Amino acid sequence: MDAYDTGSGARQGPGGREHPAGPGGGGTGDGTGGASGSPEGAAGPGAVRGGSGETAEPPPASGPADPRSPSETAEPPPVSGPAEPGPVRDAAESGPSAGTAESASGTGPATAATAEPVKPVMPVDLPTGVAALSPRYQVGALVALAVVAVAVCAHLGLVFLHVAPSNTLTKQHGAAVDEWVFPEFEQNWKLFAPNPLQQNISVQVRAEVSTADGEIRTTGWYDLSAEDGRAIDGNPVPSHTQQNELRRAWDFFVATHDSDDRAVGLRGTLSESYLRRIAVLRLERNDAAGPGGVVERVQYRSRTTNVEPPSWSGEKVSDRPTVRELPWWTVSGSGDPREGAA
């Protein structure tokens, strides 16, 4: 038979040579070789491409098929809703992808029993206010607060001296106080009395008494101010009478009489009547008239002494008491005052 007879089924290579039949080589006489052969022969390791003699690369080996169904390998949809408090975990440890990664590595699907328990995180109290600032800004804030506090205290002190009565500080630094207060901070009201009492005034009274046998005798001086002082001292709730009756009556008399003890206007006469009644009531309380005696006349006097100033002020005042005696006032036996004075 001719070597070029097509009936032999032999493939011709370069130079007219036939390729021997082999694994993946030329086909048999039944017409199954070459391109018309089985897929295994065409893709085998000995297969050639065309007539060039190049060896075909083997296809990549496919791994074992995943035994799970598509529904098991699919990632579950994310659950919507408010996040629960807990520590932030790595993305490889939490989330639906963790289960898929474990499945792909062959460890099987993740279950709730093998998952790590989530530990709640306790809230941390963060610093607020000045403590939240950096040390540099904290120092600046403290310095600013100190400057403001000093300025406020100085302002209040100067305003206090402006409205306070005359004292050693205002006498020495009155110009500086006025420069600060006027005109923006001028105060047209007085926080304290314009002329507070800086004296001790003791009001005393005595009486002429007619005794039961018709004689007239003069009692000694009764210190009414000292009596009120003893009643107030140590008493947590002293009466208004003990505190103010005698003091206000004497101030009323001094304000409505001149230096010669003459009444100025109708209020002067009223002040005299008020003092007479107080004297009779106090003398009866002390039993000045005695058994069967009657108070005929009364006489007031005041003893005024200056309050000693502090040693650091340098102020000098007289320490000699000033005595003021009023004329005798006639009263009836019933205690009602009579008009005029003896």
Side-chain angles (χ1 to χ4, degrees), residues 22 51 66 71 77 190 205 215 234 238 271 302:
D66 195 346
S71 61
K190 297 296 181 181
V205 67
E215 295 181 359
S271 66
S302 66

Side-chain angles (χ1 to χ4, degrees), residues 70-127:
S71 61
E72 293 179 351
T73 59
E75 296 182 1
V79 180
S80 61
E84 296 181 0
V88 179
R89 303 179 61 187
D90 193 354
E93 298 178 4
S94 62
S97 59
T100 307
E102 291 177 357
S103 300
S105 62
T107 59
T111 61
T114 60
E116 255 184 57
V118 179
K119 298 179 180 180
V121 178
M122 299 300 295
V124 179
D125 295 335
L126 297 177

Side-chain angles (χ1 to χ4, degrees), residues 259-275:
S259 58
D260 296 329
D261 299 324
R262 291 178 299 190
V264 179
L266 297 177
R267 290 175 62 84
T269 305
L270 178 62
S271 66
E272 290 181 10
S273 300
Y274 190 31
L275 273 178

Side-chain angles (χ1 to χ4, degrees), residues 23-177:
T28 60
D30 56 1
T32 62
S36 61
S38 66
E40 292 81 2
V48 296
R49 298 178 182 176
S52 62
E54 297 178 355
T55 305
E57 296 180 359
S62 60
D66 195 346
R68 295 179 300 169
S69 62
S71 61
E72 293 179 351
T73 59
E75 296 182 1
V79 180
S80 61
E84 296 181 0
V88 179
R89 303 179 61 187
D90 193 354
E93 298 178 4
S94 62
S97 59
T100 307
E102 291 177 357
S103 300
S105 62
T107 59
T111 61
T114 60
E116 255 184 57
V118 179
K119 298 179 180 180
V121 178
M122 299 300 295
V124 179
D125 295 335
L126 297 177
T128 59
V130 179
L133 301 176
S134 63
R136 179 180 178 183
Y137 288 101
Q138 286 182 2
V139 173
L142 292 178
V143 171
L145 290 175
V147 171
V148 172
V150 170
V152 170
C153 292
H155 172 73
L156 293 178
L158 292 172
V159 173
F160 173 83
L161 292 175
H162 174 68
V163 300
S166 178
N167 52 67
T168 304
L169 291 177
T170 54
K171 289 178 181 177
Q172 296 179 357
H173 308 287
V177 173

Side-chain angles (χ1 to χ4, degrees), residues 36 91 120 162 204 227 258 296 316:
S36 61
H162 174 68
Q204 303 171 355
E227 291 178 1
D258 57 17
E296 298 292 339
K316 301 297 183 182

Side-chain angles (χ1 to χ4, degrees), residues 189-264:
W189 50 271
K190 297 296 181 181
L191 182 61
F192 301 99
N195 186 19
L197 189 62
Q198 298 180 356
Q199 297 173 330
N200 289 325
I201 301 176
S202 176
V203 179
Q204 303 171 355
V205 67
R206 67 178 179 176
E208 282 188 356
V209 180
S210 61
T211 62
D213 54 6
E215 295 181 359
I216 301 294
R217 67 179 179 91
T218 303
T219 64
W221 292 100
Y222 291 87
D223 195 340
L224 305 184
S225 298
E227 291 178 1
D228 288 346
R230 288 192 296 267
I232 294 172
D233 189 16
N235 188 354
V237 284
S239 68
H240 177 73
T241 302
Q242 294 168 342
Q243 298 178 79
N244 300 316
E245 181 184 57
L246 180 63
R247 179 180 61 85
R248 297 295 299 272
W250 184 256
D251 292 341
F252 185 24
F253 174 84
V254 173
T256 56
H257 286 72
D258 57 17
S259 58
D260 296 329
D261 299 324
R262 291 178 299 190
V264 179

